Structures are given as structure tokens and as C-alpha cells.
Amino acid sequence: MANINTNPSRSRAELTPSLQELLNITARYEAERKKRLRKDGNAQYIEPSNLSSTPSPISSNPYSQFSKDPWVDLGNTGSLETKFPSKRTSVLIIGAGWGGLQNAIRIITISKIPAAKIRIIDAAGSFGGTWYWNRYPGLMCDIESHMYLPYLEETGYIPRHKYAYGSEIRSYAETVAQKWGLTSSAVFQTTATKIVWDEDEKEWAVDLVQRGTEMQIRASFVVLASGVLHSPKLPLIPGLLEFKGKMFHSSRWDYEITGGSEKDLSLHKLKGKRVAIIGTGATAVQIVPILAKWCKHLYVVQRTPSAVDTRDQRKTDIEWFHQHVASGPGWQRARIKNFHRHLVLDETEKPAINLVNDGWTRAPGLLGLTGHPNGPMTPDEIPAYRARLIELDTPRQNRIRARVDQQVHDPIIAEKLKPWYPTWCKRPAFHDDYLQAFNRTNVTLIDTDGKGVDEIKPEGLIIGDRKYNVDVIIFATGYQAPPSGSPAEKANMTMIGVNGVSLSEEWAVKGPATLHGVLDAKFPNLFLSGPQQASTSGNYRFNLDELAKHTAYILAECNRRAKGAKFAVAPSVEATEEWAMQVIMRSAPFGVMAGCTPGYLNLEGDIEKVPPEKRMILARSSVWGWGIENWIDVIEKWRDEGSMKGIVVR
Ligand code: NDP
């Protein structure tokens, strides 16, 4: 058992809990979870952007207002005719966020394929992915910027704050695209609706749509980097479309309604307005303090409170950065490795120095989300492991609950803002001003005790037996959940591989059949970006870069062997079965997600409803359960061995 009392700076609230306290807390967690379990599970939501199988036009979709692009610059797009004059490309990358950009850069630098032979498509109007769509006031990344922003050594860029704001991240993505010559590779406002493998030609036929114009192109290789939390979702609240005021989803912020802009946070059009924000996840935690300053009255509708730790935002001290952060070649990788070790190892195994030293590295309960090399190996070991994690996690959650009492003046409101679940059940939040917002007289917390909004009327919200008239409703209700669906569903595409097999159908019947999470046996020359059968990290951007490096290595090695001839690359079925077995054998640490309060991480509780015959699919779909650094060790050894074991090039 890890020693949880070695840190002399622990506050009183963080002292080792007694057995009785642990029993009481576990019982409270279970009671709160039960309150929130719903029969409709994940079906309580719809995805406005996926309601039509052809992305354009979507005017028949009554929810289309929630997914329209508020930022698009039509001049920036580049038509399909000009971007694909010969209707073909060597590499087609789907997604222009960090995943797509990093894949392109690794393919340029490792596979030695020039940018001119790469096309990156995205439904958005520019680079950035989630940082393109999300421009809400207060947006920042609460993963330390010095390890979140990639290639700082190569670009020489120094992030302005410990936690970079959204606009800085987006503009840095554009800088990175320019530096590696990718600006003219981009084809924006474009989606791929279908890819079909052509065995004779050893290439993909890809159906593209750009603002209603369709074109079929050919691509030797397709890289899927379409994201995991990119499809905004709305709760199916009765009467939602009847609301007569203004409404929008947080990922499509409407500054026409609120006033201000991404860089000017004066939301002056909300003066005199009654605003409701639905949801209290990581997004709402960043928005609420700013909304509270501008609207006449803010109603914060809470179903489950976030666990909100300090953020400790500060400007980057340039001298400190040079001396203590960018201390020598390879510093960024070393910093990320140190971060991961503090995230996934037992207290006794962590390095003595904690370079990032943030709230993530001081939350031992995150082992439930990141995986753990010393975790359980079999399902029957999970209950004891869960009990051990609760014991490790309780001091931290006690401190988070005590923090609410310190920040919120009214003890009745404070009680409602306390999270009653273990850290791993919901993504942790970090903010210095969120809780204090509830001390303002113009802010009302509507705690629905796990139930949510009952109905929406033309004038406002019905919650329990009360009606709240409002002028604006903001849905901070999140995104379709990562554990669900194959890469085809996530990308809203049809994918047809060898002998006409559909990726959605294959994965639904048997689960993923990949090598290292990047190549599926029946879908040659299609490179995936996990997370199934690959890894995960609190710093998800970095995780995507490791997958991109792996893809680029395989592509380079195949090109070298093929000596200019066309080829198809895919793992053998035996290799994918062996990899699936490795993934399954390490999946038990994630068994603690069973018993969690509902949320996107457990498909709103649906994961526990999976019938026994389908549980093997779930285990096969797991990410690497021993943590990302262990996964990187495994794939780096595989690359170093040099024979591309398990891969067939034909
Ligand atoms: P979440 O899914 O985390 O939160 C959605 C919120 O909406 C929850 O509070 C949920 O309640 C609530 N909700 C859903 N339906 C209803 C309803 N019918 N009535 C009332 N409330 C409802 O989405 P977020 O956008 O907050 O965050 C998504 C993810 O985006 C994060 O987990 C994180 O990965 C990423 N993110 C990252 C940031 C960063 O700094 N890097 C910042 C912000 C987001 P309940 O909990 O009960 O389901």
C-alpha cells in the first residue's frame, strides 16, 4: 500500500481517513450515484451535428442552430477543385486539430513525405480542432502550457501563462502549421462522408463534401484525427425548441448575443438579461465567473457538482522559464515524463522532483482514469483495488470539499457545491474564481439534486415545482462520449475495408482489431488515433503526438521497403489478436469506473448495463491499462527491434 502521509504540507482535511469515515464516504458516494442513474443513460442526449448523414445542408435539422460555425471565414477555405486538381493526394488527414497537425508534421519529418503531398481536411474554417470551435469567455487549457503546447523547443515559443488561454493556443496552432508549410495543405469546411478500400489500386476512394459540393478523391493513405470530444451534445429536454429567447451551446459561443469577443470579455449585451447556464462541468467552471460579472441575473443549473481545485494561474516568468523549464535539449519530453510518473505511479515510486507540481500530480485518485502498472490483473482483484483507491483519494476529495466551505459564504449553498464521488469518476476542474461567483447576489445556484432540467417553456426553465424565466440559455452540456462507437461513428463516416467489411459493423461485433491502436487488420493504409487499444494522458495532445510518431515510423519503414511501388500495409490477424490480448490483460485497473456516478466517462452509467457476452468487447476497447509511459516503452521497443513485427506489407 502506498504511503499517503509522507507529505508534511498536507492540510488537516487531508489527513488519513479512519475506517469509519471511509465506510461513510463510500456509502454517500453510492447514494449520490444511485440518485443520478437513469434508464435512458446516454440516450438522454442528441448530437446536433450528427443528425444528418450528409453534413450539408442541414437546414432540415431542427437543432442545426446549435452546430453552425460562428467563426468561419469563407475566404480561407480553398475549393475542392483547387485543392485536389488531380482528384488525388498521397496522404489525407481527417482533422486539423492538434491530432491532424502533429500527424502531418511527423509524416513530413519522419516519413519524409513533403507537405505538398498531404491534404488536411476539417469541417472547421481553420486549424485548432477543439480550440477552433471553443471560444467561450474564460477558455483556457488547465494542463500546464509548457507541456501542453507542442514543439516549444523547435519553435522557440514561450507560452504567456502557466495555463494558456484559448486564443493563444489557436494562434499557436496556426504558427505551427505555417512553420511546417501546412497552410496550403489545409482544405477547410470539408468533411469526408465515406471511405472505401480499393484492393486493386491499393488506395482509398474518399467521398468529400464542401458546403454542399461533392467530390470523390483517391488517397494512398488516410489518417483519422477527427478527435474524441468534438461532437457537442444537448440533453433532450421536453420543450427545448419552444424556447423564445436566445440559446446556444458553449462550443459555439454567440458573441452577437452576449457582446464582447474572445479577447474582450465585456459581455455588455447581457446587462439587464437573465441568463441560465445548464451544466457545471470543466467548461461551465471557466465560463460562470465571467458571465456572473455581466448579466443581470445568472442561474447556474447543476446536476452534479464538479470537484474544483485551485488553478494558481500566473504569467510565465521568462528568466524562470529559461533556467528551470527549458533547461536543455529534450526538456519538454522530460517534463511530460515526470508529469506522467506523478500521475500513474505509487507514492513510493514517484520521482523525488515534481516538475509540474500541479493539481493533476497531487490527485492520486486519477489512477482510476490513467491506468496503473501495479493495479489489479483480474476482475476479482478490482473491489480491493477500488477500496485502496478510495482510501488514497479521500484526503484529496476531503480537501476539495473543505475548499468549498472556505470559498462560499452561505453554508447551505456550499453544501450543494460539494462533489460526492471519487476523483476518477469525473474529469477534475481547476479554477480560482468559480466558487466565489456563488457569493454574488446576482448568481443563483439551482441544484437539481442529480435530476437536471425537467422542461423548457417559451419563457424559461421548469425545475421541480419552480419556473425560472430567462432571456438566454447556454448549454454547457458537453460532448458525445469517448468510450462509445468505432472510429467511423466518431468521425460520422462510413468506412468500408477489405472485402467490403464495414468498420462500424466489425467493431460492434468483435471490438477493435488493431496493432497498437493505429492499424486495423481489415483496413489497410488507414491510420487511427486511438484511444481504443492505445494510450491516454491528462495531456491528451501529447498522447496524440506519440500516436502520430508511430504512424509516421510505420509509413517511413513501408516506403523504404516498397522502394517507390504502391503498397498496402495492415497488421496480420494473429498480431491484432495478440495485441488485443495484451490490452485485455491490462484493462482491469479501469474496472473501478463501474460504480461511478454517471458522466461521459462511463457513458452515463451505460457501461454497467453491458451484457456479459459483450464485456469482452469492452475489455478489447480499453486503453492501455498500465499508463501511457509503459505503452510508449512497448511501442518504442517494437520500433527499435526494426522488423515491424506483426505488420504485413503487400
Ligand atoms: P461535461 O460533459 O463535463 O459536463 C456537462 C455538464 O452538463 C455536466 O455538469 C452535466 O451534469 C450537465 N448536464 C447534462 N445534462 C443535463 C441536464 N439535462 N440538466 C442539467 N445539467 C445537465 O462537459 P464540459 O463541456 O464541461 O467538459 C467536457 C470535457 O471537455 C472535459 O471533461 C474536458 O475533457 C474538456 N475540457 C477541457 C478543458 C481544459 O482545460 N483542457 C476545459 C473545458 C473542457 P452531470 O455531471 O450530472 O452529467
Side-chain angles (χ1 to χ4, degrees):
M1 179 68 62
N3 182 353
I4 56 172
N5 246 344
T6 51
N7 185 345
S9 64
R10 279 182 202 284
S11 67
R12 227 183 120 62
E14 281 189 276
L15 293 178
T16 310
S18 67
L19 180 60
Q20 190 53 53
E21 188 189 354
L22 288 174
L23 289 172
N24 293 344
I25 280 178
T26 309
R28 176 79 191 262
Y29 287 176
E30 180 57 14
E32 295 290 336
R33 178 182 93 96
K34 276 198 174 139
K35 252 187 224 173
R36 290 168 171 81
L37 286 173
R38 299 165 55 123
K39 275 205 183 92
D40 53 359
N42 209 36
Q44 68 185 282
Y45 296 110
I46 50 151
E47 288 173 75
S49 47
N50 277 6
L51 285 184
S52 165
S53 55
T54 47
S56 176
I58 50 172
S59 50
S60 57
N61 165 5
Y63 296 93
S64 60
Q65 58 168 312
F66 290 99
S67 59
K68 75 172 194 304
D69 184 347
W71 326 116
V72 71
D73 168 8
L74 292 178
N76 191 17
T77 297
S79 70
L80 290 178
E81 287 76 21
T82 54
K83 293 290 182 169
F84 297 98
S86 59
K87 298 197 174 167
R88 65 165 33 258
T89 180
S90 177
V91 180
L92 181 75
I93 298 177
I94 300 175
W98 282 127
L101 275 171
Q102 292 177 137
N103 267 291
I105 290 165
R106 296 301 183 184
I107 287 171
I108 292 168
T109 54
I110 298 173
S111 320
K112 308 291 179 206
I113 297 176
K117 291 190 167 189
I118 299 172
R119 289 290 175 271
I120 310 174
I121 62 163
D122 201 299
S126 191
F127 292 103
T130 194
W131 305 106
Y132 172 87
W133 294 108
N134 279 285
R135 303 193 193 192
Y136 58 74
L139 173 68
M140 73 191 83
C141 179
D142 54 24
I143 296 292
E144 193 211 44
S145 59
H146 309 129
M147 43 161 207
Y148 183 77
L149 294 182
Y151 316 135
L152 294 181
E153 288 178 78
E154 289 88 335
T155 60
Y157 184 76
I158 301 177
R160 292 199 280 270
H161 292 86
K162 183 173 183 184
Y163 300 104
Y165 290 96
S167 58
E168 181 183 10
I169 300 173
R170 200 179 67 258
S171 106
Y172 184 66
E174 281 170 13
T175 304
V176 163
Q178 264 167 26
K179 181 174 167 67
W180 275 276
L182 290 164
T183 309
S184 48
S185 297
V187 193
F188 293 120
Q189 285 204 290
T190 301
T191 49
T193 54
K194 187 175 183 182
I195 59 171
V196 180
W197 175 246
D198 182 336
E199 182 65 34
D200 295 335
E201 297 296 327
K202 303 221 172 349
E203 62 188 20
W204 288 97
V206 184
D207 291 349
L208 299 177
V209 184
Q210 186 187 59
R211 298 201 306 272
T213 303
E214 297 179 12
M215 177 186 272
Q216 188 177 83
I217 61 145
R218 294 276 167 157
S220 306
F221 310 98
V222 174
V223 180
L224 197 61
S226 51
V228 286
L229 280 171
H230 59 292
S231 209
K233 67 183 194 218
L234 290 175
L236 278 166
I237 301 170
L240 192 149
L241 292 171
E242 311 302 319
F243 182 60
K244 290 282 179 261
K246 308 282 187 192
M247 52 183 173
F248 56 88
H249 188 274
S250 57
S251 65
R252 305 287 191 274
W253 193 270
D254 195 334
Y255 284 103
E256 285 294 312
I257 295 172
T258 64
S261 71
E262 197 186 4
K263 290 185 181 165
D264 164 17
L265 300 185
S266 46
L267 309 180
H268 57 91
K269 289 191 182 172
L270 293 182
K271 279 185 183 169
K273 295 278 187 323
R274 300 153 302 175
V275 178
I277 183 164
I278 301 181
T280 51
T283 295
V285 164
Q286 296 186 344
I287 297 171
V288 162
I290 295 165
L291 270 185
K293 280 189 196 152
W294 289 95
C295 50
K296 179 177 165 208
H297 203 92
L298 177 64
Y299 296 99
V300 181
V301 182
Q302 172 178 275
R303 200 164 65 171
T304 309
S306 272
V308 189
D309 204 349
T310 46
R311 179 175 50 133
D312 204 11
Q313 173 70 315
R314 52 179 173 262
K315 282 194 171 154
T316 303
D317 176 328
I318 305 292
E319 210 173 300
W320 165 83
F321 180 84
H322 286 304
Q323 271 184 15
H324 299 285
V325 180
S327 48
W331 66 263
Q332 197 178 37
R333 177 69 186 97
R335 194 171 184 84
I336 293 169
K337 193 176 260 188
N338 180 275
F339 172 75
H340 285 143
R341 291 201 163 142
H342 281 275
L343 221 56
V344 303
L345 295 182
D346 275 321
E347 200 80 11
T348 49
E349 293 175 298
K350 290 179 181 180
I353 294 174
N354 184 347
L355 291 173
V356 175
N357 199 19
D358 64 352
W360 293 86
T361 58
R362 292 191 296 264
L366 284 173
L367 290 179
L369 275 181
T370 60
H372 183 32
N374 302 331
M377 290 299 293
T378 57
D380 53 319
E381 290 171 25
I382 294 170
Y385 179 63
R386 188 170 192 277
R388 178 190 160 202
L389 281 196
I390 297 259
E391 190 181 351
L392 282 173
D393 181 56
T394 294
R396 191 251 178 194
Q397 288 300 71
N398 278 347
R399 179 175 58 74
I400 294 291
R401 290 185 279 265
R403 184 169 182 263
V404 183
D405 287 326
Q406 289 152 13
Q407 308 273 334
V408 178
H409 301 156
D410 182 331
I412 296 170
I413 298 172
E415 214 44 47
K416 291 177 177 165
L417 286 164
K418 291 180 184 172
W420 289 101
Y421 46 81
T423 299
W424 64 84
C425 286
K426 282 201 183 276
R427 196 237 192 230
F430 303 89
H431 212 284
D432 298 334
D433 309 316
Y434 173 72
L435 292 169
Q436 290 93 322
F438 295 94
N439 295 330
R440 298 177 66 107
T441 50
N442 71 329
V443 176
T444 301
L445 174 71
I446 308 180
D447 178 50
T448 64
D449 199 22
K451 306 260 176 333
V453 178
D454 292 304
E455 199 182 340
I456 296 183
K457 293 279 190 196
E459 314 78 34
L461 309 173
I462 304 285
I463 296 167
D465 54 8
R466 282 203 58 183
K467 185 170 174 210
Y468 300 87
N469 287 347
V470 293
D471 305 297
V472 180
I473 302 176
I474 299 165
F475 290 89
T477 46
Y479 303 87
Q480 198 47 270
S484 67
S486 74
E489 269 97 51
K490 285 202 191 86
N492 199 20
M493 281 168 67
T494 304
M495 297 184 177
I496 307 294
V498 170
N499 295 329
V501 298
S502 137
L503 192 113
S504 303
E505 286 166 21
E506 285 283 307
W507 284 39
V509 173
K510 205 175 159 210
T514 77
L515 186 65
H516 306 151
V518 295
L519 271 174
D520 185 295
K522 296 183 184 167
F523 297 82
N525 297 14
L526 171 67
F527 293 92
L528 307 171
S529 300
Q532 290 107 324
Q533 298 199 339
S535 57
T536 190
S537 163
N539 184 356
Y540 201 75
R541 190 285 305 157
F542 168 78
N543 182 38
L544 292 172
D545 197 26
E546 287 304 307
L547 284 153
K549 275 159 72 180
H550 204 51
T551 288
Y553 165 83
I554 295 170
L555 210 44
E557 195 55 22
C558 291
N559 268 330
R560 195 180 62 76
R561 291 180 192 193
K563 298 192 174 80
K566 278 188 152 187
F567 61 85
V569 54
S572 67
V573 172
E574 296 73 38
T576 61
E577 283 312 297
E578 198 189 315
W579 182 251
M581 197 46 70
Q582 300 288 334
V583 170
I584 292 165
M585 275 166 51
R586 288 166 181 80
S587 62
F590 298 120
V592 295
M593 292 307 292
C596 269
T597 193
Y600 75 79
L601 293 169
N602 64 358
L603 287 178
E604 304 298 330
D606 280 357
I607 271 183
E608 291 173 49
K609 296 180 201 157
V610 171
E613 69 276 11
K614 297 253 173 169
R615 291 211 184 121
M616 196 47 88
I617 297 181
L618 206 58
R620 274 180 84 108
S621 308
S622 174
V623 299
W624 193 252
W626 287 8
I628 183 167
E629 293 295 339
N630 184 271
W631 178 81
I632 292 172
D633 284 349
V634 171
I635 60 165
E636 281 185 347
K637 276 199 189 101
W638 180 88
R639 296 203 294 257
D640 290 346
E641 193 267 332
S643 73
M644 289 211 297
K645 196 166 167 242
I647 289 218
V648 181
V649 186
R650 49 173 208 276

